[in-house]
Amino acid sequence: MSGLRVLVVDDEPLARRRASRLVRECVEVGEIDEAADITTARAALLARPADILLLDIQMPGGDGFALLESLCPPLPAVVIVTAFHDHALRAFDAKAIDYVTKPIVPARLRAAVERAALAVESRSNQDRIDELLETVRTLRRSGAVAGGGADTAFWVRTRGDVLRVPAERVIRFEAERDYVRIHTAAGNFLHHESLAGLERRLDAGVFVRIHRSSIVRKDAITRLKTAPFGALVAVLADGTELRVGRTYLSRIRKLARTP
């Protein structure tokens, strides 16, 4: 990654210029701006948002933490650069990427900038994934993505990637707060959709709802076990046992052709 914009905020001119010179040696860095106080730094960030912020703590017009508290998300990747050793805990509470103490050791500052650049790249990748997922959700709502049958698929996030899970690979769905956990032979994945919304676009000939928190592939059910008080338990091919909700008993008995 190259061309990142950096803002160096320090009230000491010599320290500020030295930090800028060292940062300029980092291959990830493009433009570098400077500010000598909190007011100037805030105005600079509003005018030209920075990717990385090198921030001193004690300066005219307030400390560096006051600047961070006044900014609206998304914040730049923050590296605290200070002569004080006792602000580290507060720095990391403020989501700083690194904490570099003065006098600056060049290799130490370069390592901090590299960490900040990786954080910016990771955030950018996550933004692209979120945009893709939102596009898929929009298409699904508009009907451009299959609304049922064999073509139905679910886009899930896994290890930083977006994976397409076809419905034909799904064994069961399980409600998990605002998400649905999709169970397949290869593993399980969290999918951001309500179980009710998911049920509406599933093929009713293939999947059946057996509980307010469970939808199961019909051919995955191998037998039904009786439980106390007339309840039923569905046993799946992989050995999983799922209780059948009272609301769904007649549906499952009809499916199994049991009296």
Side-chain angles (χ1 to χ4, degrees), residues 123-146:
R123 182 186 302 166
S124 177
N125 288 339
Q126 189 60 59
D127 287 343
R128 286 193 289 270
I129 289 172
D130 289 341
E131 288 174 4
L132 176 58
L133 288 173
E134 182 56 36
T135 299
V136 170
R137 284 193 288 267
T138 300
L139 289 172
R140 188 175 64 214
R141 286 193 296 266
S142 68
V145 172

PDB file of all heavy atoms in Angstrom, residues 123-146:
ATOM      1  N   ARG A 123      -8.668  -1.967   7.375  1.00  0.00           N
ATOM      2  CA  ARG A 123      -9.945  -1.255   7.448  1.00  0.00           C
ATOM      3  C   ARG A 123     -10.530  -1.060   6.059  1.00  0.00           C
ATOM      4  O   ARG A 123     -11.735  -1.207   5.843  1.00  0.00           O
ATOM      5  CB  ARG A 123      -9.735   0.099   8.123  1.00  0.00           C
ATOM      6  CG  ARG A 123     -11.001   0.919   8.299  1.00  0.00           C
ATOM      7  CD  ARG A 123     -10.658   2.293   8.835  1.00  0.00           C
ATOM      8  NE  ARG A 123      -9.953   2.226  10.097  1.00  0.00           N
ATOM      9  CZ  ARG A 123      -9.304   3.265  10.627  1.00  0.00           C
ATOM     10  NH1 ARG A 123      -9.261   4.414   9.989  1.00  0.00           N
ATOM     11  NH2 ARG A 123      -8.701   3.155  11.789  1.00  0.00           N
ATOM     12  N   SER A 124      -9.667  -0.750   5.087  1.00  0.00           N
ATOM     13  CA  SER A 124     -10.129  -0.557   3.710  1.00  0.00           C
ATOM     14  C   SER A 124     -10.700  -1.853   3.144  1.00  0.00           C
ATOM     15  O   SER A 124     -11.744  -1.858   2.482  1.00  0.00           O
ATOM     16  CB  SER A 124      -8.974  -0.059   2.843  1.00  0.00           C
ATOM     17  OG  SER A 124      -9.367   0.069   1.501  1.00  0.00           O
ATOM     18  N   ASN A 125     -10.013  -2.968   3.412  1.00  0.00           N
ATOM     19  CA  ASN A 125     -10.514  -4.268   2.940  1.00  0.00           C
ATOM     20  C   ASN A 125     -11.852  -4.601   3.585  1.00  0.00           C
ATOM     21  O   ASN A 125     -12.761  -5.121   2.933  1.00  0.00           O
ATOM     22  CB  ASN A 125      -9.498  -5.372   3.266  1.00  0.00           C
ATOM     23  CG  ASN A 125      -8.262  -5.282   2.398  1.00  0.00           C
ATOM     24  OD1 ASN A 125      -8.287  -4.679   1.328  1.00  0.00           O
ATOM     25  ND2 ASN A 125      -7.164  -5.864   2.862  1.00  0.00           N
ATOM     26  N   GLN A 126     -11.970  -4.297   4.885  1.00  0.00           N
ATOM     27  CA  GLN A 126     -13.228  -4.577   5.577  1.00  0.00           C
ATOM     28  C   GLN A 126     -14.361  -3.725   5.007  1.00  0.00           C
ATOM     29  O   GLN A 126     -15.491  -4.194   4.858  1.00  0.00           O
ATOM     30  CB  GLN A 126     -13.078  -4.289   7.074  1.00  0.00           C
ATOM     31  CG  GLN A 126     -14.260  -4.754   7.904  1.00  0.00           C
ATOM     32  CD  GLN A 126     -14.492  -6.244   7.784  1.00  0.00           C
ATOM     33  OE1 GLN A 126     -13.629  -7.046   8.103  1.00  0.00           O
ATOM     34  NE2 GLN A 126     -15.668  -6.627   7.306  1.00  0.00           N
ATOM     35  N   ASP A 127     -14.044  -2.463   4.670  1.00  0.00           N
ATOM     36  CA  ASP A 127     -15.059  -1.597   4.074  1.00  0.00           C
ATOM     37  C   ASP A 127     -15.547  -2.167   2.749  1.00  0.00           C
ATOM     38  O   ASP A 127     -16.746  -2.125   2.439  1.00  0.00           O
ATOM     39  CB  ASP A 127     -14.491  -0.188   3.846  1.00  0.00           C
ATOM     40  CG  ASP A 127     -14.318   0.583   5.153  1.00  0.00           C
ATOM     41  OD1 ASP A 127     -14.915   0.169   6.161  1.00  0.00           O
ATOM     42  OD2 ASP A 127     -13.585   1.585   5.147  1.00  0.00           O
ATOM     43  N   ARG A 128     -14.602  -2.709   1.962  1.00  0.00           N
ATOM     44  CA  ARG A 128     -15.000  -3.288   0.668  1.00  0.00           C
ATOM     45  C   ARG A 128     -15.878  -4.520   0.868  1.00  0.00           C
ATOM     46  O   ARG A 128     -16.841  -4.745   0.123  1.00  0.00           O
ATOM     47  CB  ARG A 128     -13.751  -3.641  -0.152  1.00  0.00           C
ATOM     48  CG  ARG A 128     -13.047  -2.418  -0.744  1.00  0.00           C
ATOM     49  CD  ARG A 128     -12.036  -2.829  -1.794  1.00  0.00           C
ATOM     50  NE  ARG A 128     -10.886  -3.477  -1.211  1.00  0.00           N
ATOM     51  CZ  ARG A 128      -9.793  -2.831  -0.807  1.00  0.00           C
ATOM     52  NH1 ARG A 128      -9.726  -1.512  -0.917  1.00  0.00           N
ATOM     53  NH2 ARG A 128      -8.774  -3.478  -0.297  1.00  0.00           N
ATOM     54  N   ILE A 129     -15.550  -5.320   1.885  1.00  0.00           N
ATOM     55  CA  ILE A 129     -16.370  -6.494   2.182  1.00  0.00           C
ATOM     56  C   ILE A 129     -17.770  -6.066   2.614  1.00  0.00           C
ATOM     57  O   ILE A 129     -18.772  -6.619   2.170  1.00  0.00           O
ATOM     58  CB  ILE A 129     -15.703  -7.355   3.279  1.00  0.00           C
ATOM     59  CG1 ILE A 129     -14.450  -8.042   2.721  1.00  0.00           C
ATOM     60  CG2 ILE A 129     -16.676  -8.395   3.827  1.00  0.00           C
ATOM     61  CD1 ILE A 129     -13.629  -8.750   3.773  1.00  0.00           C
ATOM     62  N   ASP A 130     -17.839  -5.045   3.473  1.00  0.00           N
ATOM     63  CA  ASP A 130     -19.140  -4.562   3.939  1.00  0.00           C
ATOM     64  C   ASP A 130     -19.968  -4.022   2.776  1.00  0.00           C
ATOM     65  O   ASP A 130     -21.181  -4.231   2.720  1.00  0.00           O
ATOM     66  CB  ASP A 130     -18.951  -3.468   4.992  1.00  0.00           C
ATOM     67  CG  ASP A 130     -18.415  -4.025   6.310  1.00  0.00           C
ATOM     68  OD1 ASP A 130     -18.543  -5.246   6.523  1.00  0.00           O
ATOM     69  OD2 ASP A 130     -17.871  -3.246   7.104  1.00  0.00           O
ATOM     70  N   GLU A 131     -19.303  -3.325   1.851  1.00  0.00           N
ATOM     71  CA  GLU A 131     -20.013  -2.802   0.687  1.00  0.00           C
ATOM     72  C   GLU A 131     -20.563  -3.947  -0.171  1.00  0.00           C
ATOM     73  O   GLU A 131     -21.698  -3.882  -0.666  1.00  0.00           O
ATOM     74  CB  GLU A 131     -19.081  -1.934  -0.148  1.00  0.00           C
ATOM     75  CG  GLU A 131     -18.753  -0.590   0.503  1.00  0.00           C
ATOM     76  CD  GLU A 131     -17.703   0.182  -0.279  1.00  0.00           C
ATOM     77  OE1 GLU A 131     -17.294  -0.298  -1.361  1.00  0.00           O
ATOM     78  OE2 GLU A 131     -17.304   1.268   0.189  1.00  0.00           O
ATOM     79  N   LEU A 132     -19.763  -4.991  -0.343  1.00  0.00           N
ATOM     80  CA  LEU A 132     -20.213  -6.134  -1.134  1.00  0.00           C
ATOM     81  C   LEU A 132     -21.404  -6.816  -0.475  1.00  0.00           C
ATOM     82  O   LEU A 132     -22.390  -7.155  -1.135  1.00  0.00           O
ATOM     83  CB  LEU A 132     -19.061  -7.135  -1.313  1.00  0.00           C
ATOM     84  CG  LEU A 132     -19.408  -8.449  -2.037  1.00  0.00           C
ATOM     85  CD1 LEU A 132     -19.971  -8.178  -3.425  1.00  0.00           C
ATOM     86  CD2 LEU A 132     -18.175  -9.342  -2.127  1.00  0.00           C
ATOM     87  N   LEU A 133     -21.329  -7.012   0.847  1.00  0.00           N
ATOM     88  CA  LEU A 133     -22.432  -7.645   1.551  1.00  0.00           C
ATOM     89  C   LEU A 133     -23.704  -6.802   1.457  1.00  0.00           C
ATOM     90  O   LEU A 133     -24.803  -7.339   1.291  1.00  0.00           O
ATOM     91  CB  LEU A 133     -22.062  -7.865   3.019  1.00  0.00           C
ATOM     92  CG  LEU A 133     -21.034  -8.978   3.289  1.00  0.00           C
ATOM     93  CD1 LEU A 133     -20.633  -8.972   4.754  1.00  0.00           C
ATOM     94  CD2 LEU A 133     -21.573 -10.329   2.890  1.00  0.00           C
ATOM     95  N   GLU A 134     -23.564  -5.491   1.558  1.00  0.00           N
ATOM     96  CA  GLU A 134     -24.731  -4.626   1.450  1.00  0.00           C
ATOM     97  C   GLU A 134     -25.321  -4.687   0.050  1.00  0.00           C
ATOM     98  O   GLU A 134     -26.552  -4.684  -0.119  1.00  0.00           O
ATOM     99  CB  GLU A 134     -24.345  -3.179   1.800  1.00  0.00           C
ATOM    100  CG  GLU A 134     -25.513  -2.200   1.753  1.00  0.00           C
ATOM    101  CD  GLU A 134     -26.661  -2.627   2.656  1.00  0.00           C
ATOM    102  OE1 GLU A 134     -26.400  -3.191   3.745  1.00  0.00           O
ATOM    103  OE2 GLU A 134     -27.824  -2.397   2.259  1.00  0.00           O
ATOM    104  N   THR A 135     -24.462  -4.774  -0.968  1.00  0.00           N
ATOM    105  CA  THR A 135     -24.947  -4.912  -2.343  1.00  0.00           C
ATOM    106  C   THR A 135     -25.732  -6.200  -2.513  1.00  0.00           C
ATOM    107  O   THR A 135     -26.805  -6.232  -3.124  1.00  0.00           O
ATOM    108  CB  THR A 135     -23.769  -4.895  -3.332  1.00  0.00           C
ATOM    109  OG1 THR A 135     -23.085  -3.639  -3.218  1.00  0.00           O
ATOM    110  CG2 THR A 135     -24.249  -5.070  -4.763  1.00  0.00           C
ATOM    111  N   VAL A 136     -25.201  -7.284  -1.941  1.00  0.00           N
ATOM    112  CA  VAL A 136     -25.891  -8.574  -2.028  1.00  0.00           C
ATOM    113  C   VAL A 136     -27.235  -8.498  -1.320  1.00  0.00           C
ATOM    114  O   VAL A 136     -28.255  -8.987  -1.825  1.00  0.00           O
ATOM    115  CB  VAL A 136     -25.019  -9.698  -1.414  1.00  0.00           C
ATOM    116  CG1 VAL A 136     -25.815 -10.984  -1.270  1.00  0.00           C
ATOM    117  CG2 VAL A 136     -23.791  -9.939  -2.291  1.00  0.00           C
ATOM    118  N   ARG A 137     -27.272  -7.862  -0.138  1.00  0.00           N
ATOM    119  CA  ARG A 137     -28.537  -7.745   0.587  1.00  0.00           C
ATOM    120  C   ARG A 137     -29.553  -6.924  -0.199  1.00  0.00           C
ATOM    121  O   ARG A 137     -30.740  -7.250  -0.244  1.00  0.00           O
ATOM    122  CB  ARG A 137     -28.289  -7.117   1.968  1.00  0.00           C
ATOM    123  CG  ARG A 137     -27.683  -8.075   2.981  1.00  0.00           C
ATOM    124  CD  ARG A 137     -27.744  -7.530   4.377  1.00  0.00           C
ATOM    125  NE  ARG A 137     -26.804  -6.443   4.589  1.00  0.00           N
ATOM    126  CZ  ARG A 137     -25.578  -6.604   5.074  1.00  0.00           C
ATOM    127  NH1 ARG A 137     -25.140  -7.811   5.381  1.00  0.00           N
ATOM    128  NH2 ARG A 137     -24.784  -5.574   5.248  1.00  0.00           N
ATOM    129  N   THR A 138     -29.075  -5.852  -0.837  1.00  0.00           N
ATOM    130  CA  THR A 138     -29.970  -5.005  -1.630  1.00  0.00           C
ATOM    131  C   THR A 138     -30.534  -5.773  -2.817  1.00  0.00           C
ATOM    132  O   THR A 138     -31.728  -5.711  -3.113  1.00  0.00           O
ATOM    133  CB  THR A 138     -29.222  -3.752  -2.130  1.00  0.00           C
ATOM    134  OG1 THR A 138     -28.752  -3.027  -0.995  1.00  0.00           O
ATOM    135  CG2 THR A 138     -30.132  -2.861  -2.955  1.00  0.00           C
ATOM    136  N   LEU A 139     -29.655  -6.511  -3.502  1.00  0.00           N
ATOM    137  CA  LEU A 139     -30.109  -7.311  -4.640  1.00  0.00           C
ATOM    138  C   LEU A 139     -31.103  -8.378  -4.211  1.00  0.00           C
ATOM    139  O   LEU A 139     -32.095  -8.637  -4.896  1.00  0.00           O
ATOM    140  CB  LEU A 139     -28.912  -7.969  -5.329  1.00  0.00           C
ATOM    141  CG  LEU A 139     -27.980  -7.036  -6.104  1.00  0.00           C
ATOM    142  CD1 LEU A 139     -26.742  -7.787  -6.560  1.00  0.00           C
ATOM    143  CD2 LEU A 139     -28.705  -6.433  -7.299  1.00  0.00           C
ATOM    144  N   ARG A 140     -30.836  -8.966  -3.055  1.00  0.00           N
ATOM    145  CA  ARG A 140     -31.729 -10.002  -2.558  1.00  0.00           C
ATOM    146  C   ARG A 140     -33.107  -9.423  -2.248  1.00  0.00           C
ATOM    147  O   ARG A 140     -34.134 -10.016  -2.562  1.00  0.00           O
ATOM    148  CB  ARG A 140     -31.124 -10.644  -1.307  1.00  0.00           C
ATOM    149  CG  ARG A 140     -31.886 -11.873  -0.817  1.00  0.00           C
ATOM    150  CD  ARG A 140     -31.146 -12.511   0.331  1.00  0.00           C
ATOM    151  NE  ARG A 140     -31.080 -11.619   1.466  1.00  0.00           N
ATOM    152  CZ  ARG A 140     -30.055 -11.553   2.298  1.00  0.00           C
ATOM    153  NH1 ARG A 140     -28.989 -12.305   2.107  1.00  0.00           N
ATOM    154  NH2 ARG A 140     -30.074 -10.721   3.320  1.00  0.00           N
ATOM    155  N   ARG A 141     -33.117  -8.233  -1.619  1.00  0.00           N
ATOM    156  CA  ARG A 141     -34.397  -7.611  -1.294  1.00  0.00           C
ATOM    157  C   ARG A 141     -35.177  -7.227  -2.547  1.00  0.00           C
ATOM    158  O   ARG A 141     -36.400  -7.265  -2.570  1.00  0.00           O
ATOM    159  CB  ARG A 141     -34.165  -6.356  -0.430  1.00  0.00           C
ATOM    160  CG  ARG A 141     -33.785  -6.663   1.006  1.00  0.00           C
ATOM    161  CD  ARG A 141     -33.876  -5.421   1.860  1.00  0.00           C
ATOM    162  NE  ARG A 141     -32.919  -4.402   1.452  1.00  0.00           N
ATOM    163  CZ  ARG A 141     -31.713  -4.257   1.979  1.00  0.00           C
ATOM    164  NH1 ARG A 141     -31.305  -5.094   2.909  1.00  0.00           N
ATOM    165  NH2 ARG A 141     -30.913  -3.299   1.568  1.00  0.00           N
ATOM    166  N   SER A 142     -34.456  -6.842  -3.602  1.00  0.00           N
ATOM    167  CA  SER A 142     -35.125  -6.415  -4.828  1.00  0.00           C
ATOM    168  C   SER A 142     -35.525  -7.586  -5.711  1.00  0.00           C
ATOM    169  O   SER A 142     -36.196  -7.410  -6.720  1.00  0.00           O
ATOM    170  CB  SER A 142     -34.205  -5.488  -5.631  1.00  0.00           C
ATOM    171  OG  SER A 142     -33.093  -6.212  -6.128  1.00  0.00           O
ATOM    172  N   GLY A 143     -35.066  -8.802  -5.346  1.00  0.00           N
ATOM    173  CA  GLY A 143     -35.414  -9.980  -6.127  1.00  0.00           C
ATOM    174  C   GLY A 143     -34.426 -10.296  -7.213  1.00  0.00           C
ATOM    175  O   GLY A 143     -34.609 -11.250  -7.961  1.00  0.00           O
ATOM    176  N   ALA A 144     -33.343  -9.489  -7.342  1.00  0.00           N
ATOM    177  CA  ALA A 144     -32.355  -9.760  -8.378  1.00  0.00           C
ATOM    178  C   ALA A 144     -31.537 -10.985  -8.055  1.00  0.00           C
ATOM    179  O   ALA A 144     -30.990 -11.642  -8.928  1.00  0.00           O
ATOM    180  CB  ALA A 144     -31.423  -8.551  -8.534  1.00  0.00           C
ATOM    181  N   VAL A 145     -31.428 -11.305  -6.746  1.00  0.00           N
ATOM    182  CA  VAL A 145     -30.814 -12.556  -6.341  1.00  0.00           C
ATOM    183  C   VAL A 145     -31.943 -13.551  -6.127  1.00  0.00           C
ATOM    184  O   VAL A 145     -33.003 -13.195  -5.612  1.00  0.00           O
ATOM    185  CB  VAL A 145     -29.991 -12.366  -5.046  1.00  0.00           C
ATOM    186  CG1 VAL A 145     -29.506 -13.698  -4.522  1.00  0.00           C
ATOM    187  CG2 VAL A 145     -28.804 -11.457  -5.340  1.00  0.00           C
ATOM    188  N   ALA A 146     -31.740 -14.780  -6.507  1.00  0.00           N
ATOM    189  CA  ALA A 146     -32.813 -15.787  -6.504  1.00  0.00           C
ATOM    190  C   ALA A 146     -33.635 -15.738  -5.239  1.00  0.00           C
ATOM    191  O   ALA A 146     -33.110 -15.645  -4.142  1.00  0.00           O
ATOM    192  CB  ALA A 146     -32.203 -17.176  -6.670  1.00  0.00           C
TER     193      ALA A 146
END
